[in-house]
Amino acid sequence: MSTPDRSIQQCVGPDLENIEVMRNHSVLFRAECKRLIQDTDKACKRMQNDDNKQLDQRVRDIQFLKKELELKLEEIILEIDVLIELQRRVGKALGACREPLRVTVVCLEERMKRVPPERLHDEVDRELLRERGVIEGVASLLHRVAEQITEQIRLNRSIKYHLEQDLKEKFAAQCIDNSCALMTTHSTNNQQRPKNTQTLLQSFTVTPEQWENISDINIAKAEQQQVNSLSLRAMVESLLEQTLADMQKQFQATTETFQLNVQEIKSAKGLMEDQLAKILSEFASEQRTREDLQVAVSDSEHVLSLAQARLVLRRQRPGKEQCHDPAQTQLLAEVQQLNAHINRLHEAASRSEEQQRALVRCQLELQENIERKGSSLYIDEVVCAQHREPIIIHNF
């Protein structure tokens, strides 16, 4: 009975139950594939949306840091420009020290040309030496300040370079992330896909915290250099103001000492010129007195000659007439008195001559001193004043 039954079944056709089962499996599989496609599509869209959000957030983060970096870069560039201008002012101040220092040294050298009795280490010399010390001290200080400014400019330019490099890299990263955000599935068809995703994952060695810290460190360094620059600028401004005041004060003190010394020299020279005029007048009077003495001696000698001639003539009287009468007594007394007067007149004339020689010595000494004072006055009032007159210590 079994063999005929199989023959009947084979004659009927394929196993419909198995076919139905297979068909049902196919329907279920297609439904599962459809759900898988839908789930995959939703997942892709969700992931793309998340990617776009993350990329947009990343671009905003980059833009935020870029603005911070750009602000610091602008500030540091401005600070560099200000320091360069301050460096120029310090250089100008250094240059402004050269001519006053040269003039001070020239004045010291000119005053050394005074004649030895006038070559005293007076108050003018002391003020000139102080002035030279002040100017040299200011120049040395300004030179050190110029070196500090140069170093600060170098540091600012260094941080400027790092900020620019950071900005350059941020700009490149922003462009790349913007491009990533604009990319679609259609725009990547022609791009070559990486074969090894693991290699891409290993290439990212900087964490987000490290990435942000890099810019924070650059900004912090820029802020520190700004603080240093501001402190340096404040110090230099105060220094320029103080050194200017010191130089002006010392220059004025030296000028006033010059003026006072010129007045003292003029006063001393005037007193000596008055004395010289009196000496010359006294010499002329003494000369007239001496001449009067010589005339008196001559007149007295004439009278003496007359008295002596009378005595000689009276000796010719006859023997009995040679009486020592009052006339003889008077003539003898007259001769004696005249000789005494003539001797006193000669002594007075000698003293007058000595007095004239003393007056001549005083005259020569006064003339020599007046000449020395005139030479010193010319050096201080004319030579040094001409050198110092063009010097004006302006604001640095």
Side-chain angles (χ1 to χ4, degrees), residues 176-197:
I176 290 172
D177 284 345
N178 279 328
S179 298
C180 289
L182 295 174
M183 288 174 67
T184 63
T185 54
H186 301 291
S187 62
T188 59
N189 290 333
N190 297 327
Q191 292 186 357
Q192 185 178 0
R193 297 181 183 179
K195 296 180 180 179
N196 190 357
T197 307

Side-chain angles (χ1 to χ4, degrees), residues 76-320:
I76 208 72
I77 289 174
L78 179 61
E79 193 63 36
I80 290 172
D81 292 340
V82 173
L83 284 177
I84 289 174
E85 174 61 22
L86 187 62
Q87 188 182 45
R88 186 194 66 80
R89 286 175 57 196
V90 172
K92 184 179 178 182
L94 267 172
C97 292
R98 295 191 189 98
E99 186 60 18
L101 180 59
R102 185 194 69 81
V103 168
T104 302
V105 173
V106 167
C107 288
L108 285 168
E109 292 173 350
E110 289 293 336
R111 299 193 93 242
M112 286 299 293
K113 296 177 182 178
R114 294 173 296 171
V115 292
E118 292 290 316
R119 198 182 301 159
L120 302 174
H121 187 59
D122 55 9
E123 189 62 28
V124 176
D125 278 344
R126 285 188 284 273
E127 289 297 334
L128 283 171
L129 290 172
R130 288 193 196 101
E131 185 172 276
R132 185 178 67 181
V134 167
I135 298 173
E136 289 176 344
V138 167
S140 176
L141 191 58
L142 289 175
H143 183 71
R144 291 197 298 271
V145 165
E147 291 178 347
Q148 289 179 321
I149 295 174
T150 300
E151 176 61 16
Q152 188 60 53
I153 290 174
R154 186 193 67 79
L155 293 173
N156 287 358
R157 283 175 172 165
S158 175
I159 195 63
K160 171 178 172 285
Y161 169 79
H162 288 294
L163 289 172
E164 288 174 339
Q165 288 299 112
D166 200 355
L167 273 171
K168 183 179 178 181
E169 292 172 359
K170 291 289 186 295
F171 178 76
Q174 182 182 351
C175 291
I176 290 172
D177 284 345
N178 279 328
S179 298
C180 289
L182 295 174
M183 288 174 67
T184 63
T185 54
H186 301 291
S187 62
T188 59
N189 290 333
N190 297 327
Q191 292 186 357
Q192 185 178 0
R193 297 181 183 179
K195 296 180 180 179
N196 190 357
T197 307
Q198 188 65 29
T199 305
L200 292 177
L201 295 176
Q202 293 175 354
S203 65
F204 296 101
T205 58
V206 178
T207 65
E209 291 76 14
Q210 291 174 331
W211 171 81
E212 190 171 354
N213 283 338
I214 292 172
S215 295
D216 289 342
I217 290 171
N218 286 333
I219 292 172
K221 288 181 178 179
E223 289 175 348
Q224 183 60 50
Q225 293 308 323
Q226 278 184 281
V227 171
N228 294 342
S229 295
L230 288 172
S231 176
L232 178 62
R233 284 202 285 122
M235 184 270 288
V236 173
E237 290 289 352
S238 174
L239 180 66
L240 287 175
E241 184 178 350
Q242 185 61 46
T243 53
L244 172 65
D246 291 344
M247 286 181 63
Q248 288 177 334
K249 181 180 178 181
Q250 184 57 50
F251 190 83
Q252 182 63 29
T254 305
T255 300
E256 290 175 357
T257 305
F258 260 113
Q259 293 171 349
L260 180 62
N261 190 59
V262 165
Q263 292 302 319
E264 290 176 353
I265 293 175
K266 283 183 176 180
S267 177
K269 183 171 176 286
L271 290 174
M272 287 187 287
E273 287 172 343
D274 290 342
Q275 287 296 324
L276 178 61
K278 292 176 182 179
I279 288 292
L280 292 175
S281 175
E282 186 63 29
F283 181 84
S285 298
E286 195 66 39
Q287 180 68 26
R288 288 192 296 271
T289 299
R290 185 182 175 190
E291 291 173 354
D292 292 341
L293 287 171
Q294 290 174 348
V295 170
V297 167
S298 178
D299 292 343
S300 297
E301 286 177 345
H302 289 154
V303 175
L304 177 61
S305 297
L306 176 61
Q308 289 174 341
R310 286 175 176 173
L311 285 172
V312 170
L313 184 60
R314 294 196 82 208
R315 284 179 183 176
Q316 296 178 8
R317 290 176 300 170
K320 294 180 181 179

